[in-house]
């Protein structure tokens, strides 16, 4: 939240922008939202998110030719649909191996000379 574009937004717009970011992540849209979703919090918040509040930084929501809106720089800060699906497949594969011993013991931190709390 420590960025000029974010600081320039009202609290209501910040919350809506965060909600949209979370929604895009859950729905795996790569940062795209419908016009209806973008406008859920009313015209004032929508205008704030689609207006360049800090010169040269762009708006938080960018209109697309197909009528949807894209969250500015979404894929620079969030995983893409493809990345999420690849990680989920890897997690499923690893989960299917459950209960099998590791090839190497789990690191404890002691191998780096760290002490256990309370140990002298």
């Amino acid at each position: 939240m420590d960025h000029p574009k974010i600081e320039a937004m009202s609290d209501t717009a910040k919350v809506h922008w965060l909600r949209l970011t979370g929604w895009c992540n859950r729905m795996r849209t790569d940062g795209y939202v419908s016009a209806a979703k973008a406008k859920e919090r009313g015209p004032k918040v929508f205008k704030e998110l689609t207006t360049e509040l800090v010169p040269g930084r762009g708006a938080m929501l960018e209109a697309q030719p197909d009528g949807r809106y894209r969250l500015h720089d979404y894929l620079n800060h969030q995983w893409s649909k493809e990345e999420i699906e690849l990680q989920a497949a890897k997690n499923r594969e690893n989960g299917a191996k459950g209960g099998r011993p590791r090839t190497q013991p789990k690191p404890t931190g002691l191998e780096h000379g760290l002490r256990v709390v309370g140990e002298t």
Side-chain angles (χ1 to χ4, degrees):
M1 299 296 230
D2 189 22
H3 189 283
K5 283 173 67 170
I6 306 296
E7 290 175 353
M9 293 166 41
S10 69
D11 288 345
T12 304
K14 287 176 191 173
V15 169
H16 187 46
W17 175 72
L18 286 170
R19 286 182 67 252
L20 291 174
T21 301
W23 185 86
C24 288
N25 188 277
R26 282 190 314 282
M27 298 298 136
R28 300 179 184 170
T29 68
D30 288 342
Y32 290 91
V33 297
S34 67
K37 179 63 83 180
K39 296 175 182 179
E40 277 183 340
R41 292 295 177 248
K44 184 178 177 183
V45 171
F46 175 72
K47 182 174 181 174
E48 192 173 341
L49 291 175
T50 56
T51 301
E52 184 177 59
L53 300 176
V54 178
R57 299 286 186 143
M60 297 304 287
L61 283 177
E62 302 164 337
Q64 301 299 298
D66 63 3
R68 296 182 301 167
Y69 287 83
R70 184 175 65 88
L71 277 73
H72 179 76
D73 284 347
Y74 178 85
L75 291 176
N76 291 344
H77 305 285
Q78 307 296 324
W79 285 16
S80 69
K81 176 181 180 177
E82 181 181 5
E83 290 169 324
I84 292 169
E85 290 174 353
L86 286 172
Q87 185 63 50
K90 183 178 176 181
N91 291 348
R92 279 191 301 277
E93 182 182 318
N94 289 338
K97 298 176 188 175
R100 296 194 178 130
R102 295 173 176 261
T103 56
Q104 295 181 354
K106 185 176 180 178
T108 63
L110 298 176
E111 62 275 3
H112 299 292
L114 301 175
R115 294 182 314 185
V116 176
V117 174
E119 189 179 275
T120 55

